[in-house]
Amino acid sequence: MKKIGIALLSIAVLSLIVAVPVFSDNYTYNYEKGADDWESTGMWHIVNETSQYRNANSGVSSFWYGSDLTGTYDSGTANSGRLVSPQINLKDSTKATLTFWYWYQTENMSKLYDQRFVQIREVGNGNWIDLDQLNNDPMEQWLQKTYDISAYKGKVIEVSFYFDMSDELANDYRGWYIDDVEVQVEKN
């Protein structure tokens, strides 16, 4: 009876292990140790405990589209900038999700001015694809977004946060913060 019990227990444990997806090669970025190989253009940069404009969802660091000189993204001219992740390998994935936290203050919440895009591309393809153009979301509070990016399974990708102020008017606002970015890769 003891051997049968152990065998049944082993089968039950094995069934449980097989039924639960295995998450591996997750990509998590909280920027507490710096840029983590993210690349940035425009006004994107790390802010931390030394910045008077720091704002983080967790810890003390995040990426911010704004100027430490003014506390806004007003440069006197129209400008834009892109924050790009390191390469993310989805080659053996069965499912993948992108999750991140953000905070913003811009001219308004519409799609027309001070535009905020979440984008993705396959490495080697120069074209960015919009996952979303953020709009009509509450300002001045940390918000979380999650996207299913399983359509890119089998590929190596990059994620981008693109800010475009579109004109030189009414840009005396704090800008856009990004923190706690995670790509969760599910493999069987």
Side-chain angles (χ1 to χ4, degrees), residues 42 47 53 65 79 88 94 136-137 141 146 167 169 175:
V47 287
Y53 302 108
Y65 193 89
N79 66 68
I88 298 168
T94 56
N136 293 323
D137 43 352
Q141 61 183 292
T146 299
D167 63 30
L169 305 172

Side-chain angles (χ1 to χ4, degrees), residues 103-144:
W103 185 105
Y104 80 104
Q105 181 192 54
T106 59
E107 180 177 351
N108 62 44
M109 298 184 297
S110 79
K111 288 184 172 187
L112 299 177
Y113 304 104
D114 306 337
Q115 301 168 337
R116 297 167 293 126
F117 294 91
V118 181
Q119 299 176 318
I120 193 169
R121 74 175 174 191
E122 182 179 353
V123 170
N125 180 350
N127 300 322
W128 289 102
I129 307 297
D130 293 344
L131 289 174
D132 199 359
Q133 181 182 1
L134 301 174
N135 65 90
N136 293 323
D137 43 352
M139 275 197 229
E140 299 180 50
Q141 61 183 292
W142 282 98
L143 303 167
Q144 184 182 43

Side-chain angles (χ1 to χ4, degrees), residues 47-180:
V47 287
N48 56 31
E49 69 274 357
T50 64
S51 171
Q52 64 179 333
Y53 302 108
R54 72 178 175 265
N55 186 356
N57 179 61
S58 68
V60 295
S61 300
S62 64
F63 260 101
W64 174 41
Y65 193 89
S67 168
D68 286 313
L69 297 175
T70 62
T72 71
Y73 54 91
D74 190 355
S75 66
T77 62
N79 66 68
S80 62
R82 185 178 305 280
L83 177 61
V84 180
S85 73
Q87 294 183 3
I88 298 168
N89 187 348
L90 304 180
K91 286 197 175 203
D92 298 323
S93 66
T94 56
K95 182 177 181 180
T97 57
L98 165 66
T99 301
F100 65 94
W101 287 84
Y102 69 102
W103 185 105
Y104 80 104
Q105 181 192 54
T106 59
E107 180 177 351
N108 62 44
M109 298 184 297
S110 79
K111 288 184 172 187
L112 299 177
Y113 304 104
D114 306 337
Q115 301 168 337
R116 297 167 293 126
F117 294 91
V118 181
Q119 299 176 318
I120 193 169
R121 74 175 174 191
E122 182 179 353
V123 170
N125 180 350
N127 300 322
W128 289 102
I129 307 297
D130 293 344
L131 289 174
D132 199 359
Q133 181 182 1
L134 301 174
N135 65 90
N136 293 323
D137 43 352
M139 275 197 229
E140 299 180 50
Q141 61 183 292
W142 282 98
L143 303 167
Q144 184 182 43
K145 282 286 197 177
T146 299
Y147 301 94
D148 183 349
I149 57 172
S150 299
Y152 291 86
K153 65 186 178 187
K155 301 177 185 324
V156 177
I157 57 125
E158 293 171 315
V159 172
S160 166
F161 299 97
Y162 180 68
F163 187 84
D164 185 353
M165 60 197 290
S166 72
D167 63 30
E168 70 283 354
L169 305 172
N171 297 313
D172 194 21
Y173 298 94
R174 184 58 59 88
W176 191 17
Y177 293 86
I178 299 292
D179 200 6
D180 298 324

Side-chain angles (χ1 to χ4, degrees), residues 3-20:
K3 287 185 178 181
I4 292 173
I6 292 172
L8 289 176
L9 180 60
S10 297
I11 290 170
V13 169
L14 183 58
S15 296
L16 181 62
I17 291 171
V18 171
V20 175

